[in-house]
Amino acid sequence: MKKFNFRKVLDGLTAASPVGSSGGGSGSGAGGSVHPGGTAGAAGTPREEIQETLTSDYFQICKTVRHGFPYLPTALAFDPVQKILAIGTRTGAIRILGRPGVDCYCQHESGAAVLQLQFLINEGALVSACADDALHLWNLRQKRPAILHSLKFNRERITYCHLPFQSKWLYVGTERGNTHIVNIESFILSGYVIMWNKAIELSTKTHPGPVVHLSDSPRDEGKLLIGYENGTIVFWDLRSKRADLRAYYDEAIHSVAWHHEGKQFMCSHSDGSLTLWNLKNPNRPFQTTIPHGKVQRDGKKPESCKPILKVEYKTCKNSEPFVVFSGGLSYDKPCRRPSLTIMHGKAITVLEMDHPIVDFLTLCETPYPNEFQEPYAVVVLLEKDLIVVDLTQTNFPIFENPYPIDIHESPVTCTEYFADCPPDLIPVLYSVGAKHKKQGYSNKEWPISGGAWNLGAQTYPEIIITGHADGSVKFWDASAITLQMLYKLKTSKVFEKQKVGEGKATAEIVEEDPFAVQMMYWCPESRIFCVAGVSAYVIVYRFSKHEVNTEIASLEVRLQCEVEDIITPEPETNPPFPDASSQLPSLKSLSGSTNTVACEGTMKDSIPCLSVKARPVRMPPGYQADLVIQLVWVDGEPPQQITSLAVNSAYGLVAFGNCNGLAVVDFMQKTVLLSMGTLDLYGSSDPYQRQPRSPRKNRQFAADNFCMRGLSNFYPDLTKRIRTSYQNHVNGHCTSPTSQSCSSGKRLSSADVSRANRRGPGRPPFRKAQSAACMEISLPVTTEENRENSFSRSRSSSVSSIDRDSKEAITALFFMESFARKNDSAVSSCLWVGTGLGMVIILSLNLPASDDLRQSEPVMVSPSGTVLTLKGAVLTFACLDCMGTLTHQPYEVWRDPHSADDGDKARKRKLVMHSPSSSQDMGDHQFAVICSEKQAKVFSLPSQTCLYVHNITETSFLLRADVVTLCNSVCLACFCANGHIMTLSLPSLRPLLDMNYLPVTDMRIARTFCFTNEGQALYLSSPTEIQRLTYSQEMCDNLQDMLGDLFTPVETPEAQNRGFLKGLFGGSGQAFDREELFGEATAGKASRSLAQHIPGSGGIEGVRGAAGGVIGDLTRARIALDERGQKLGELDERTASMMASAEAFSKHAHEVMLKYKDKKWYQF
């Protein structure tokens, strides 16, 4: 535990300017914490002693849980006894789902796509087959599954696997047509191989193709059905090692399904047909149907349809069998959606899906393949959804899905995470959100109900908010590492819908997703919610439990940058820079919104991008729009993206900024208080001299110069249309925000080329300054620019290398009770403003003295003249009191704005101000923590002395920084573009944690990463999944208790009594000894070069150890009972044998007695 003194420093030693302080910090080298004035605190006497309780022992990084739909799914499996579901993906991930709360994520190290999954039913294990031709055995008897064994095939490609119920031998089919057998316990290949040339007839001249199906006969486990792609079916006798029968069909086979009696099987084919075969007559199928084919009038075969990719044939004891298949639709309906067809008797039901079907499984009551299956549900895995259909009801309703798999219903564009928020928020949000739930779901319980889960020790409420491309906002209950949607807000409802074809005639500047949510700001205490959209608008929402019908108030704000270089007229005949001609075509129409420019001869001015509804709007209970603020076109220039947003309920103010400047709006009085260019905020305090210039001379250039982009730029990795020109010119590197253009996707006219030429041959025609909130993919112009925009490039300080031609974006805003000027005697209401050039400007807010005057008296906003500096764009602010405790922003206690009680008490605002304690002496009362993308500084207020500086990174830049609470203390958490997660102590900025966790491979991670209190963080790991992690050692230690159990002790159901006659004449699978047939003693060893065994990290001891639990005890008890019964039986047999022996002896003695009864002694 480190102690330090917070000293009152002599004015003569600390009067250095903030710029000088910054320079002193940078001189210490990367990662150093220094006192700018040398030995700070050497003069003066200690005023307060602050203890920093956090040390590096409090921090550790680990992933906790992953929510959402598995990205790019490929495979599906279900354990009918444990009732858990496994989904494999193209990225090598496996998600295992059980009852709500049981959700496990595993990842193959190779990253190879998962081809197939097979549960060892009720054994707590799973086999995965991957595209790199490796088999893996996963141990599910632990909360974080681990690989026990791997088997890598070297010479053959795996195409299909089959594991019979209660068997330890896995059949593996390959692309060459061979079938290998693997021992699941040892993961060693058996010497028994079914070669393709032995399986087919000798007269066959062509290769049968890859193995597409393997299954043992339900009637006799010693018979294996092998399906080859070209239409060949082989019924192989494993004992005699020969084919019992062969069947041929002239269409390719996609799947095979058995009737439970083992006498018939059904195949699906590439022409949309289903064939039913009988083992007694394999020459041709005894039934062929094309379910969706049109019947020809002349009696010919129905026309072919699309391939039936999979079929399942399930029998019922008291009704007709179910035939379920995917695909097979007619070719004459190309626009029909993917469908699942259910045939039950003569009824055919087609269920249309929203997305392509990846796989499906029919859930049955029994795990035994030779019993009536009694199907009750169908699990359908789609490309972007998971659906379960109830088969027990005639209309086949779907089950209501309890998992949070609809995160990506519309692509996620931003996230916010709140831990330890007010406990009443979750039930309140759930109550208003539950009213909008859909009806018509099945009334049965969710059938995937395996595993076990408890709340664990973590009890504080957590809420995650996601903003989406369609303008919707979702609130999620994230408590105790689960996720459940509470409430959905549609922000687009405040705007008029754009009619098709009106795009060019209006001022809309984003062609795709004009309502996309770009930034969110939420005050949980006051329940004020604020959204900034991609079309340059801000909406302020208030929460109410009552429905209202009212008009939506709206304001329009002009924000324009009034700074421009003085351009001396030059002849247009000057040749452009050499490669300009080659660049012109490539730079043409890079933006998706260029076609929305106004027609020639007209100039847009004072027009917002979207139209707010003018009529009264019905607003249901929940979040209701209180005010819409829109930026407008200025002299033909479109409004620029909003890059920072802050709202304060106690002040009744909302502030937002962009590349041009800052706007402050009073949302109580519905008035604009401030709309000012960034340079005007400095007043006389601007440390950089810029030449004034007329914006008129750049109008033609600016008309085509859009910072606003379609969301194919905003989230390039998601499911958006990406134009060819965009694909050709946008690279995938994440570059520093301050090194990017604020206006991407320009179309250059000849005048623009000549203007670019005046910049100099080495200067690309893109502006350089940009905020962290306005990050975008860089546009490569030359190879030099490409190199400059790479991840690891070292940038000089934004302060020391300011581009005269840049706009200074507002990147961070913070409302606070603070000291606006040096040596102020009391705190006042302030707005802290951070810019993309590392400047911090403090604005004074003059609010009415009493609450009664708040609605009538104007609020004054004015620059205080205070300017502080850092390196790099400012990311975040925070305030600590003199004891080092985090000071929360002022807020208004929530009250329902539409409450039925209209008395004075209901109208009276209750404010919580959190002002620092004041005393009579003139000492400092407050720490101001400011973090930029390069460094962090701590200033003492009101003296504005820079106490601590820490240069976080020199070669990279921060993407996110948050001041968070942990273990009743406070620290600064940072996420760097090079993948490092760092924490710094406060106020001394000592490094506590620095771990290389996650290289930022795309902008999705950079855009969605956020920290919150109690050592938690999250980011969007894929377009459909949220990954949560913790940087708290305590939570890492307790994680095992919080995770769900995948495996629970369940008795395997007993097989039905088949009856004497069936057992006698129906085949006897029980007599088949696979161990004797496939073991090394009989089959020999497989070739070492064929496959390589790789021991896993889990180890077989893990299974044995885990088996020592309750299920092991049950098994041992059962074995002991069996042994006792066996011994009692043996005793009975011995007793009966002794009795029979005694009886025989008695009889024999009696016969001897009768023989010699009447004889005399001399007759012997």
Side-chain angles (χ1 to χ4, degrees):
M1 185 180 295
K2 179 178 176 179
K3 297 183 180 179
F4 72 98
N5 292 330
F6 176 39
R7 302 178 183 278
K8 182 179 177 183
V9 185
L10 294 177
D11 289 343
L13 294 176
T14 59
S17 70
V19 181
S21 300
S22 174
S26 62
S28 69
S33 296
V34 299
H35 303 282
T39 56
T45 56
R47 181 183 181 277
E48 294 287 349
E49 189 175 82
I50 295 178
Q51 288 188 346
E52 288 186 0
T53 57
L54 291 180
T55 64
S56 58
D57 296 335
Y58 284 78
F59 296 93
Q60 177 62 42
I61 292 180
C62 67
K63 293 179 181 179
T64 54
V65 68
R66 183 172 292 209
H67 303 297
F69 182 75
Y71 184 52
L72 301 175
T74 55
L76 185 67
F78 183 71
D79 187 325
V81 179
Q82 287 289 321
K83 295 192 182 301
I84 55 176
L85 187 79
I87 300 173
T89 74
R90 199 180 301 170
T91 59
I94 298 176
R95 286 282 290 282
I96 304 171
L97 303 168
R99 67 176 67 247
V102 178
D103 186 343
C104 180
Y105 168 80
C106 321
Q107 176 69 48
H108 293 93
E109 289 185 5
S110 65
V114 177
L115 298 180
Q116 198 176 350
L117 295 171
Q118 288 265 303
F119 276 104
L120 277 66
I121 295 175
N122 205 26
E123 295 290 336
L126 175 73
V127 175
S128 60
C130 295
D132 61 349
D133 306 307
L135 296 172
H136 306 276
L137 178 64
W138 294 83
N139 174 21
L140 306 185
R141 294 185 180 230
Q142 54 196 55
K143 294 192 174 184
R144 286 191 177 273
I147 292 178
L148 297 170
H149 298 284
S150 297
L151 190 67
K152 179 77 166 65
F153 281 75
N154 297 322
R155 298 185 307 199
E156 298 204 49
R157 307 296 308 271
I158 297 172
T159 56
Y160 195 87
C161 298
H162 170 64
L163 180 66
F165 179 46
Q166 293 181 327
S167 166
K168 67 175 184 179
W169 297 94
L170 174 74
Y171 302 113
V172 181
T174 69
E175 196 174 45
R176 291 185 181 179
N178 302 325
T179 302
H180 300 276
I181 301 170
V182 178
N183 186 313
I184 288 297
E185 290 181 350
S186 61
F187 241 57
I188 294 175
L189 211 57
S190 167
Y192 192 114
V193 183
I194 305 172
M195 304 298 289
W196 68 270
N197 54 351
K198 299 287 180 63
I200 65 172
E201 285 185 331
L202 294 176
S203 60
T204 306
K205 297 180 180 180
T206 58
H207 191 280
V211 174
V212 295
H213 178 82
L214 291 168
S215 60
D216 52 339
S217 167
R219 196 178 185 191
D220 184 357
E221 293 177 347
K223 304 290 179 66
L224 184 69
L225 188 73
I226 309 172
Y228 295 96
E229 189 179 63
N230 74 344
T232 302
I233 301 164
V234 176
F235 197 49
W236 184 263
D237 189 330
L238 293 165
R239 301 181 189 88
S240 62
K241 300 182 181 180
R242 62 180 180 83
D244 267 8
L245 60 88
R246 298 179 179 90
Y248 300 95
Y249 195 70
D250 54 1
E251 292 290 341
I253 293 177
H254 284 283
S255 69
V256 183
W258 278 100
H259 186 280
H260 82 276
E261 291 180 349
K263 299 176 183 179
Q264 300 173 0
F265 59 89
M266 181 180 287
C267 300
S268 70
H269 300 278
S270 57
D271 63 344
S273 64
L274 295 173
T275 56
L276 197 59
W277 301 77
N278 196 312
L279 293 181
K280 292 182 179 179
N281 183 17
N283 295 328
R284 60 185 178 86
F286 75 86
Q287 182 180 327
T288 302
T289 57
I290 301 181
H292 295 298
K294 285 186 178 179
V295 179
Q296 305 292 336
R297 291 182 180 177
D298 53 3
K300 291 183 180 179
K301 179 183 174 182
E303 64 179 23
S304 296
C305 294
K306 296 176 183 177
I308 295 179
L309 301 178
K310 183 176 181 178
V311 64
E312 293 208 342
Y313 187 23
K314 302 298 180 182
T315 53
C316 303
K317 196 169 187 178
N318 300 318
S319 69
E320 295 287 330
F322 280 90
V323 176
V324 185
F325 63 87
S326 61
L329 295 180
S330 175
Y331 279 109
D332 63 353
K333 295 180 180 178
C335 296
R336 277 188 76 171
R337 294 186 292 179
S339 66
L340 185 82
T341 304
I342 301 174
M343 299 170 63
H344 187 217
K346 294 182 179 180
I348 299 179
T349 305
V350 178
L351 305 178
E352 290 191 337
M353 305 294 171
D354 293 331
H355 309 285
I357 296 174
V358 175
D359 199 359
F360 73 89
L361 286 174
T362 307
L363 309 188
C364 302
E365 297 288 354
T366 176
Y368 294 93
N370 57 356
E371 298 176 356
F372 282 104
Q373 298 297 287
E374 305 296 345
Y376 60 89
V378 179
V379 180
V380 188
L381 177 65
L382 308 178
E383 276 191 1
K384 296 177 184 176
D385 204 355
L386 180 71
I387 291 173
V388 182
V389 182
D390 186 355
L391 292 180
T392 61
Q393 299 182 42
T394 54
N395 59 339
F396 302 131
I398 65 170
F399 289 86
E400 185 175 8
N401 198 319
Y403 307 133
I405 61 171
D406 57 345
I407 292 172
H408 64 289
E409 184 179 19
S410 173
V412 178
T413 54
C414 56
T415 57
E416 292 295 337
Y417 191 7
F418 298 86
D420 204 10
C421 49
D424 59 333
L425 277 174
I426 289 176
V428 164
L429 287 169
Y430 183 79
S431 66
V432 295
K435 297 174 183 177
H436 305 290
K437 288 202 170 180
K438 296 178 183 177
Q439 304 298 320
Y441 290 112
S442 170
N443 54 11
K444 299 283 184 69
E445 288 189 5
W446 180 250
I448 306 165
S449 56
W453 177 78
N454 55 8
L455 280 171
Q458 183 181 324
T459 55
Y460 53 82
E462 300 171 69
I463 291 178
I464 293 172
I465 308 177
T466 55
H468 299 265
D470 63 352
S472 60
V473 175
K474 294 180 181 178
F475 291 76
W476 306 83
D477 176 9
S479 307
I481 69 171
T482 62
L483 197 69
Q484 181 182 10
M485 194 170 86
L486 297 171
Y487 173 67
K488 182 178 179 179
L489 171 67
K490 296 181 179 178
T491 64
S492 59
K493 286 193 171 182
V494 304
F495 298 106
E496 298 285 0
K497 288 184 178 179
Q498 295 288 337
K499 294 181 181 177
V500 179
E502 284 188 359
K504 292 185 179 180
T506 65
E508 189 174 327
I509 54 175
V510 177
E511 189 180 76
E512 295 175 349
D513 302 303
F515 308 113
V517 178
Q518 191 176 351
M519 303 184 75
M520 301 177 294
Y521 193 99
W522 190 43
C523 177
E525 290 80 11
S526 64
R527 301 185 190 175
I528 292 281
F529 183 62
C530 204
V531 169
V534 74
S535 295
Y537 61 83
V538 171
I539 310 176
V540 181
Y541 287 92
R542 289 180 181 269
F543 187 85
S544 175
K545 295 180 180 179
H546 304 279
E547 180 178 313
V548 293
N549 201 327
T550 182
E551 290 189 5
I552 301 170
S554 64
L555 290 172
E556 294 179 359
V557 177
R558 291 172 68 93
L559 266 184
Q560 183 184 21
C561 183
E562 297 290 343
V563 175
E564 186 75 57
D565 277 338
I566 296 176
I567 301 174
T568 38
E570 291 183 15
E572 292 295 326
T573 55
N574 281 0
F577 48 90
D579 55 349
S581 58
S582 63
Q583 286 184 25
L584 278 173
S586 67
L587 291 173
K588 192 174 179 181
S589 67
L590 280 173
S591 169
S593 32
T594 51
N595 61 358
T596 59
V597 181
C599 302
E600 290 186 16
T602 64
M603 178 171 291
K604 296 177 184 176
D605 188 59
S606 303
I607 304 172
C609 302
L610 302 170
S611 300
V612 179
K613 290 179 179 177
R615 62 187 182 279
V617 178
R618 186 189 73 84
M619 299 183 188
Y623 274 106
Q624 300 166 350
D626 187 54
L627 177 64
V628 179
I629 310 156
Q630 289 185 284
L631 296 180
V632 296
W633 288 67
V634 179
D635 295 338
E637 285 193 35
Q640 303 290 293
Q641 273 189 4
I642 292 169
T643 57
S644 55
L645 177 67
V647 65
N648 189 278
S649 57
Y651 301 160
L653 303 180
V654 58
F656 57 92
N658 63 8
C659 302
N660 288 336
L662 172 71
V664 181
V665 173
D666 183 342
F667 63 80
M668 294 180 69
Q669 297 185 23
K670 311 291 190 290
T671 57
V672 180
L673 303 179
L674 180 79
S675 175
M676 190 178 287
T678 311
L679 298 183
D680 298 326
L681 296 175
Y682 290 102
S684 60
S685 305
D686 186 3
Y688 308 106
Q689 297 304 314
R690 300 169 173 85
Q691 294 178 336
R693 56 194 180 180
S694 169
R696 301 275 174 184
K697 296 192 177 182
N698 200 29
R699 185 175 302 160
Q700 181 186 359
F701 184 81
D704 288 344
N705 180 5
F706 292 98
C707 178
M708 308 299 297
R709 306 172 300 273
L711 284 192
S712 47
N713 271 17
F714 194 59
Y715 43 93
D717 48 332
L718 300 187
T719 53
K720 304 306 296 174
R721 297 196 310 274
I722 299 179
R723 295 164 180 79
T724 308
S725 60
Y726 182 81
Q727 285 177 325
N728 291 340
H729 299 291
V730 177
N731 65 15
H733 292 301
C734 170
T735 63
S736 167
T738 53
S739 70
Q740 293 161 16
S741 158
C742 187
S743 306
S744 67
K746 303 177 180 180
R747 295 190 304 176
L748 298 182
S749 63
S750 58
D752 299 328
V753 174
S754 61
R755 183 169 301 150
N757 181 36
R758 294 184 209 116
R759 300 171 186 266
R763 298 278 297 283
F766 295 101
R767 296 186 174 179
K768 285 286 184 179
Q770 180 64 307
S771 75
C774 193
M775 288 184 294
E776 61 188 75
I777 302 297
S778 58
L779 299 177
V781 180
T782 62
T783 44
E784 182 180 352
E785 182 76 359
N786 272 338
R787 202 161 48 244
E788 190 179 72
N789 282 339
S790 67
F791 255 131
S792 58
R793 84 184 190 95
S794 174
R795 298 186 301 116
S796 59
S797 165
S798 300
V799 174
S800 59
S801 61
I802 289 182
D803 193 340
R804 286 174 56 218
D805 152 68
S806 66
K807 291 183 180 180
E808 188 172 4
I810 305 296
T811 59
L813 295 166
F814 188 68
F815 286 103
M816 196 59 207
E817 290 288 297
S818 185
F819 300 92
R821 296 172 182 83
K822 203 168 190 177
N823 299 323
D824 272 3
S825 58
V827 295
S828 59
S829 303
C830 298
L831 172 61
W832 290 60
V833 180
T835 76
L837 298 182
M839 311 303 294
V840 177
I841 306 161
I842 303 178
L843 303 183
S844 295
L845 308 175
N846 190 1
L847 299 164
S850 65
D851 188 56
D852 299 334
L853 301 174
R854 179 63 184 85
Q855 293 287 357
S856 56
E857 290 291 320
V859 178
M860 305 299 294
V861 182
S862 58
S864 65
T866 299
V867 178
L868 308 173
T869 61
L870 288 87
K871 290 198 299 182
V874 178
L875 297 181
T876 191
F877 297 100
C879 272
L880 311 179
D881 64 15
C882 59
M883 301 304 295
T885 305
L886 184 65
T887 306
H888 294 279
Q889 296 187 53
Y891 64 88
E892 175 191 358
V893 176
W894 176 77
R895 58 192 177 95
D896 198 321
H898 305 296
S899 173
D901 183 10
D902 290 328
D904 291 339
K905 290 185 178 179
R907 289 197 300 267
K908 186 75 174 175
R909 299 172 71 222
K910 183 180 178 182
L911 306 182
V912 180
M913 300 305 288
H914 295 297
S915 298
S917 57
S918 58
S919 57
Q920 294 300 318
D921 63 13
M922 292 299 293
D924 288 346
H925 302 287
Q926 208 175 47
F927 295 107
V929 181
I930 309 172
C931 185
S932 74
E933 62 178 12
K934 287 290 187 180
Q935 67 177 186
K937 285 187 178 183
V938 174
F939 293 89
S940 72
L941 300 177
S943 68
Q944 297 177 14
T945 304
C946 181
L947 290 179
Y948 297 97
V949 179
H950 182 77
N951 292 301
I952 299 171
T953 177
E954 291 292 343
T955 58
S956 188
F957 54 93
L958 294 187
L959 295 168
R960 181 82 184 209
D962 291 292
V963 175
V964 294
T965 57
L966 178 68
C967 301
N968 298 317
S969 191
V970 63
C971 65
L972 175 65
C974 308
F975 177 53
C976 195
N978 60 15
H980 284 251
I981 292 178
M982 295 164 279
T983 59
L984 305 173
S985 70
L986 289 175
S988 68
L989 297 179
R990 285 181 300 110
L992 299 173
L993 172 74
D994 186 349
M995 183 174 290
N996 188 2
Y997 169 75
L998 178 76
V1000 182
T1001 52
D1002 55 51
M1003 288 302 299
R1004 180 185 61 251
I1005 298 172
R1007 192 178 59 251
T1008 57
F1009 197 102
C1010 53
F1011 296 98
T1012 188
N1013 298 328
E1014 307 303 331
Q1016 299 212 63
L1018 67 78
Y1019 61 94
L1020 216 64
S1021 58
S1022 75
T1024 62
E1025 295 169 290
I1026 288 176
Q1027 177 67 57
R1028 289 164 69 178
L1029 60 132
T1030 181
Y1031 50 96
S1032 162
Q1033 180 68 59
E1034 182 183 5
M1035 188 168 180
C1036 288
D1037 295 340
N1038 297 331
L1039 188 58
Q1040 283 293 108
D1041 299 331
M1042 300 166 67
L1043 295 173
D1045 290 297
L1046 296 173
F1047 181 80
T1048 52
V1050 180
E1051 283 287 335
T1052 302
E1054 291 188 6
Q1056 294 177 4
N1057 187 359
R1058 304 185 65 202
F1060 175 74
L1061 291 176
K1062 279 192 177 181
L1064 189 64
F1065 301 110
S1068 177
Q1070 301 302 322
F1072 177 59
D1073 188 354
R1074 292 188 179 92
E1075 180 68 37
E1076 181 182 348
L1077 196 61
F1078 303 145
E1080 188 176 321
T1082 307
K1085 291 184 178 181
S1087 171
R1088 289 186 178 181
S1089 61
L1090 182 61
Q1092 176 188 1
H1093 175 256
I1094 306 167
S1097 57
I1100 196 66
E1101 292 78 9
V1103 168
R1104 288 174 180 161
V1110 179
I1111 192 71
D1113 294 339
L1114 287 172
T1115 306
R1116 283 191 289 272
R1118 190 191 303 154
I1119 292 170
L1121 285 172
D1122 290 344
E1123 290 176 351
R1124 185 176 174 224
Q1126 186 177 349
K1127 289 177 180 177
L1128 287 172
E1130 290 174 357
L1131 184 62
D1132 287 343
E1133 289 175 0
R1134 287 176 186 172
T1135 305
S1137 176
M1138 289 174 68
M1139 289 177 66
S1141 177
E1143 189 176 346
F1145 179 76
S1146 172
K1147 185 178 179 182
H1148 183 66
H1150 185 66
E1151 288 175 352
V1152 170
M1153 185 268 293
L1154 290 176
K1155 182 178 181 181
Y1156 295 104
K1157 179 179 179 185
D1158 298 328
K1159 290 189 177 183
K1160 301 298 180 181
W1161 63 272
Y1162 52 82
Q1163 291 177 324
F1164 287 103

